[in-house]
Amino acid sequence: MEFIKPFLASITATDDPAPEIVEMREKLLALLLLSFTILSAAPVGLGSYLSLRNDQPVFALAYPVLYAMVFLAAVLGRRLSFRVRANALLVFGVGIGVTDLFRVGLGGVGVAALTAFSVIAAILYGVRAGLAVLALSIVSVIVAGAALLTGLVQPESEALLTTYSPVAWITAAMIITLFALVLILAPETFRRRLQLSLREEERKTEDLTRTVGKLRQEVEARIVAEAALGESERRFRQLAELLPETVFETDLEARLTFVNRACVEVFGYTEAELTSGMTAIDMLVRDDVERAASGMVRVMRGEDLGLREYTARHKSGAEIPILLRSAPVHRGGELIGLRGIVIDISEKRRVEKHLAQAQKMEAVGTLAGGMAHDFNNLLMGIQGRVSLLHARKDVPEGALTHLSVIEEHIESAAGLTRQLLGLARGGKYQPAVTDLNQLVQRSLELFARTHKSLTPVLDLQEDLWSARVDRHQLEQVLLNLLLNGWQAMPEGGELAVRTRNLELDADHAAAMDLGAGVYVCIAVVDTGVGMTEEVRRRIFEPFFTTREQERGTGLGLASAYGIVRNHGGAVEVESAPGEGSTFRVLVPAEPEEEPVQRKEVAEELPGGSETILVIDDEALILSSIQPLLEMLGYRTLTASSGRAALELLEADPARVDLIILDMVMPGLDGPATFERIRQIPCEARVLLSSGYSVEQSTAALMEQGCAFLQKPYRIEELARKLREQLDQSPALSQAS
């Protein structure tokens, strides 16, 4: 029985068809089961009846058993597996065919049944199952024929044996084989070709699906790239609009295709004017056109020229210094134009000029300060001698007149040195919080009294802030500005002085080389002839003047500039020919401080009996100041150097009540000598004296309790300053 298992396995084997074919077979099986259950009921019953009548009990039993199998398979349906129901149908069909062969031979439905169910097996299970059932059918025909012809099985009618011969049985077997093979193989071949075609279509469909997927990915990637490009362009344009510098793009002909808002603001054209055929070359002055065109060609060739300086032209015709840098623009690998940035350096140039002027003034101021120092020492010697002669009772009346004239000349010379000191660094005497409205009003009133051709106009802000200034120097500034305005109006005119509070932000302050903060502005406005740009640029240069030599020295405005700068302020001027001039003086304000009231000068010359040590390297000063001090009643000691003074003090520090200390001396200068004096237990007060004005080192000593007296000074100033210091408590011991 072992040979039956492979045979049954081949019958029940499937060819793993597609799901669609499986479903089709399922429906076909259900239809076949239902059809055979209905259609075979009568033939099966008749066959069973005839078998009983012909005394064939085995066949009579086989018919109902086989029918029962197909009936149950049809009734139970899908509650049974496909394989069980299909096998039941095949067993039914093959069994009916074999039974008919043995019962009636070739005269029944046996051959047809075997042929049909071989095909059904192929349809339900595949070619192998069909061929297996076909082989079983052929064997059944041969066996049945042999059994009937040899008498092993008695047929239902003896006539069958005479009707059919062995040849007939062999022919029947061949017919079964031929028809079954055709019916099995032809549909299968068609099915396989169809399946191959379907698989080819599936492959093509899969390829098409993959292609469509790739195309979809490419389209999506392109959409993303275009979106990113659009976002990048929007970001570029937004950043370009936010930049304070000009951003532009051109085509290959240098025509502007894009400009940002800053370009419109800097050059004065509208965006429509700029991008309607105007070229980048059109915006430059004629002298720079050729150089700019050559530069554009070089940039398009790939050269990096960096920042290049040109002079552009505003819509109004005004020239604008600029820095330009550009780069080639490519799209799709092709050069389409240029993209660049333009920086307006007008403000930078103005600041550079302002700084150059300040540096020049600083250098000149240093020289002027040294000259003023030496000149003041000479004036001090002369003033001392004149004061001594004034004190003598035997001087003739005519000589006294000459002495008074000499003193007037000394005062005039001292005024000249004050102008020179205004140019020097640190050129402040004794600054104090001052009411500038009061100072301005007094200065204009005094000036107007002696210049009747003017119409003075005073415009003062009521709540004007106070400022810490040297009153005498600022009066000198106002005098110089008023004098300049008067000289600019030879036929008379209106001379106005205005005061205002100003608060400067960092940008406006930096443009004037100042720090951000609050300032007081004093503006002097005339209606005179005005100035050209060349004169305006040089107006603050020392010794520069547009007037005849006998009418001016060229130091007035230069000293005013130096004085204001030394106060931490700035001077601005606006002027044009025929439109008058406006000078603005800005000094740092101190809104919270109260102005210091001026004290009236006493007419008497106070003296004393204290001991005073004079330290000065100028013999002319020592020889003139010692008699003055003695005339005031003081005991006097002199030292021509810092070291000589230290030796004298170390010998007997208690005998000195006050020290007059020169600030500029060879060897140990004033500050160094002061530091050494502090190390000696000396309680004498110190009065600083110098041909220079108050400098940083001098101011530092004044903060430690020292007083200051500017050379040249008259005996009245000396007497008052000495008495003020001597009447105070000792300072050096406290400062130490």
Side-chain angles (χ1 to χ4, degrees):
M1 298 297 291
E2 293 298 326
F3 72 91
I4 298 177
K5 292 181 179 179
F7 182 78
L8 293 176
S10 66
I11 293 177
T12 60
T14 64
D15 56 356
D16 193 20
E20 294 84 356
I21 296 178
V22 171
E23 182 63 24
M24 182 190 69
R25 287 175 176 176
E26 180 68 44
K27 293 180 179 180
L28 180 60
L29 175 61
L31 179 62
L32 291 173
L33 286 172
L34 180 62
S35 299
F36 280 108
T37 300
I38 297 172
L39 297 177
S40 63
V44 167
L46 180 61
S48 179
Y49 168 74
L50 293 174
S51 295
L52 285 175
R53 193 184 67 175
N54 293 327
D55 195 20
Q56 293 176 321
V58 175
F59 296 146
L61 180 62
Y63 281 114
V65 171
L66 293 172
Y67 182 79
M69 290 177 58
V70 73
F71 179 80
L72 289 174
V75 172
L76 295 176
R78 293 198 179 190
R79 283 176 286 183
L80 299 176
S81 67
F82 176 85
R83 190 180 298 276
V84 171
R85 289 178 289 135
N87 289 342
L89 178 63
L90 293 176
V91 171
F92 166 77
V94 173
I96 292 295
V98 172
T99 301
D100 263 22
L101 284 175
F102 279 96
R103 187 175 66 83
V104 295
L106 296 177
V109 297
V111 174
L114 291 175
T115 302
F117 279 92
S118 296
V119 175
I120 291 173
I123 293 173
L124 295 179
Y125 282 120
V127 176
R128 287 183 299 173
L131 293 176
V133 173
L134 176 60
L136 177 62
S137 299
I138 295 171
V139 171
S140 300
V141 170
I142 295 172
V143 172
L148 289 172
L149 292 174
T150 58
L152 291 177
V153 176
Q154 293 298 318
E156 183 178 298
S157 172
E158 291 294 334
L160 293 174
L161 296 177
T162 60
T163 304
Y164 300 102
S165 64
V167 175
W169 284 96
I170 294 172
T171 302
M174 292 177 63
I175 291 173
I176 293 174
T177 303
L178 179 61
F179 279 96
L181 285 175
V182 171
L183 294 173
I184 291 172
L185 296 179
E188 180 62 20
T189 301
F190 175 75
R191 186 186 69 81
R192 287 188 178 275
R193 287 182 176 275
L194 181 60
Q195 191 165 6
L196 288 175
S197 178
L198 289 173
R199 288 178 180 174
E200 180 66 19
E201 291 298 325
E202 289 177 355
R203 185 184 65 77
K204 291 181 179 179
T205 302
E206 290 176 357
D207 292 343
L208 182 59
T209 302
R210 284 194 294 270
T211 302
V212 171
K214 291 181 179 179
L215 289 175
R216 183 183 293 110
Q217 291 177 355
E218 291 179 1
V219 170
E220 291 176 352
R222 187 178 185 87
I223 292 173
V224 172
E226 289 178 352
L229 181 61
E231 178 62 26
S232 177
E233 184 175 353
R234 284 192 296 273
R235 187 182 301 114
F236 162 74
R237 290 185 177 273
Q238 185 177 24
L239 289 175
E241 292 297 338
L242 292 174
L243 285 174
E245 287 81 19
T246 293
V247 178
F248 70 92
E249 289 184 350
T250 73
D251 60 14
L252 294 176
E253 302 299 325
R255 289 187 295 265
L256 293 168
T257 58
F258 168 77
V259 293
N260 65 344
R261 187 181 298 110
C263 182
V264 175
E265 295 173 353
V266 170
F267 295 99
Y269 296 94
T270 65
E271 185 176 353
E273 290 174 328
L274 290 167
T275 57
S276 60
M278 191 171 183
T279 69
I281 302 297
D282 294 336
M283 303 180 69
L284 301 177
V285 298
R286 182 177 301 175
D287 293 342
D288 283 350
V289 168
E290 184 177 351
R291 184 166 63 94
S294 173
M296 292 182 69
V297 173
R298 292 171 61 188
V299 171
M300 288 184 180
R301 290 174 180 171
E303 293 187 46
D304 184 4
L305 303 183
L307 284 171
R308 306 192 77 188
E309 186 171 346
Y310 298 97
T311 301
R313 186 178 56 200
H314 191 270
K315 183 178 181 180
S316 64
E319 295 184 354
I320 307 172
I322 62 170
L323 292 177
L324 182 146
R325 184 169 189 173
S326 59
V329 180
H330 294 86
R331 184 169 296 163
E334 183 179 353
L335 178 67
I336 63 171
L338 291 176
R339 178 182 296 130
I341 185 170
V342 173
I343 304 173
D344 179 5
I345 56 174
S346 302
E347 188 65 22
K348 180 174 179 289
R349 287 286 178 266
R350 196 169 75 84
V351 172
E352 287 176 350
K353 290 180 180 179
H354 190 82
L355 180 60
Q357 175 72 8
Q359 290 173 340
K360 179 164 54 177
M361 294 302 298
E362 182 178 6
V364 173
T366 302
L367 175 63
M371 294 172 58
H373 170 265
D374 293 340
F375 194 44
N376 278 339
N377 279 337
L378 292 174
L379 293 177
M380 183 67 247
I382 298 172
Q383 179 65 58
R385 297 296 179 180
V386 170
S387 297
L388 288 174
L389 290 175
H390 263 300
R392 294 181 59 172
K393 297 180 179 180
D394 57 346
V395 177
E397 187 67 27
L400 289 175
T401 302
H402 290 300
L403 290 175
S404 297
V405 173
I406 292 173
E407 283 190 322
E408 291 178 2
H409 289 315
I410 292 173
E411 183 63 30
S412 298
L416 179 60
T417 59
R418 281 195 295 271
Q419 293 190 38
L420 289 173
L421 287 170
L423 300 174
R425 291 172 294 180
K428 296 186 287 291
Y429 291 91
Q430 296 186 24
V433 179
T434 304
D435 182 349
L436 295 184
N437 271 346
Q438 183 185 45
L439 185 147
V440 166
Q441 183 175 2
R442 179 174 176 274
S443 298
L444 182 60
E445 290 175 352
L446 291 176
F447 188 82
R449 290 175 188 171
T450 57
H451 299 80
K452 301 298 184 179
S453 62
L454 298 178
T455 301
V457 176
L458 198 60
D459 181 8
L460 305 179
Q461 181 167 331
E462 293 184 1
D463 55 347
L464 191 71
W465 294 324
S466 301
R468 187 176 297 276
V469 298
D470 183 280
R471 188 181 186 94
H472 296 292
Q473 279 202 326
L474 200 58
E475 286 175 344
Q476 183 69 36
V477 169
L478 287 173
L479 177 62
N480 288 334
L481 295 180
L482 293 171
L483 185 61
N484 183 80
W486 169 71
Q487 291 172 340
M489 298 184 293
E491 305 298 328
E494 184 179 281
L495 187 61
V497 183
R498 304 186 182 99
T499 58
R500 294 291 185 270
N501 295 326
L502 290 181
E503 186 170 355
L504 299 182
D505 57 24
D507 292 337
H508 289 84
M512 292 183 286
D513 195 23
L514 297 174
V518 292
Y519 293 83
V520 175
C521 174
I522 303 173
V524 178
V525 184
D526 65 66
T527 57
V529 296
M531 293 177 282
T532 64
E533 181 62 22
E534 175 64 24
V535 173
R536 192 192 66 79
R537 285 199 301 266
R538 300 187 60 192
I539 195 69
F540 295 118
E541 292 183 9
F543 310 112
F544 174 78
T545 179
T546 58
R547 296 182 291 276
E548 295 84 354
Q549 186 172 0
E550 65 271 11
R551 295 193 61 192
T553 63
L555 284 176
L557 293 180
S559 65
Y561 179 91
I563 291 171
V564 175
R565 293 299 296 176
N566 291 333
H567 279 78
V571 182
E572 282 190 322
V573 58
E574 292 182 4
S575 184
E579 298 182 6
S581 302
T582 299
F583 287 82
R584 296 185 184 88
V585 175
L586 279 73
V587 292
E590 296 191 9
E592 305 300 326
E593 298 292 335
E594 291 294 331
V596 176
Q597 301 298 325
R598 301 185 67 181
K599 297 180 180 179
E600 295 296 330
V601 178
E603 297 181 358
E604 299 179 356
L605 295 180
S609 59
E610 291 89 348
T611 300
I612 297 176
L613 171 61
V614 182
I615 308 173
D616 200 306
D617 65 306
E618 294 285 348
L620 180 64
I621 302 296
L622 294 177
S623 62
S624 61
I625 195 174
Q626 185 174 7
L628 291 176
L629 294 173
E630 291 175 351
M631 186 177 62
L632 294 173
Y634 297 106
R635 294 186 297 273
T636 307
L637 301 174
T638 61
S640 60
S641 67
R643 297 189 183 279
L646 291 173
E647 292 176 1
L648 190 151
L649 288 172
E650 288 173 351
D652 188 5
R655 64 172 175 166
V656 176
D657 300 297
L658 185 140
I659 300 171
I660 300 177
L661 175 61
D662 186 26
M663 290 298 293
V664 181
M665 297 184 295
L668 285 178
D669 60 4
T673 302
F674 179 80
E675 291 298 326
R676 296 285 295 274
I677 292 175
R678 291 184 62 184
Q679 300 173 12
I680 301 173
C682 176
E683 296 185 352
R685 298 194 66 83
V686 176
L687 176 61
L688 306 175
S689 179
S690 177
Y692 284 118
S693 53
V694 176
E695 297 175 314
Q696 185 175 358
S697 59
T698 308
L701 297 184
M702 292 173 65
E703 291 177 357
Q704 301 183 49
C706 299
F708 179 76
L709 190 59
Q710 173 75 46
K711 297 178 183 177
Y713 46 81
R714 303 180 69 171
I715 188 172
E716 295 87 352
E717 296 176 275
L718 176 63
R720 287 194 299 272
K721 187 66 71 172
L722 289 175
R723 201 65 259 164
E724 288 176 3
Q725 296 302 306
L726 289 170
D727 290 341
Q728 297 179 22
S729 59
L732 286 182
S733 59
Q734 293 177 359
S736 302

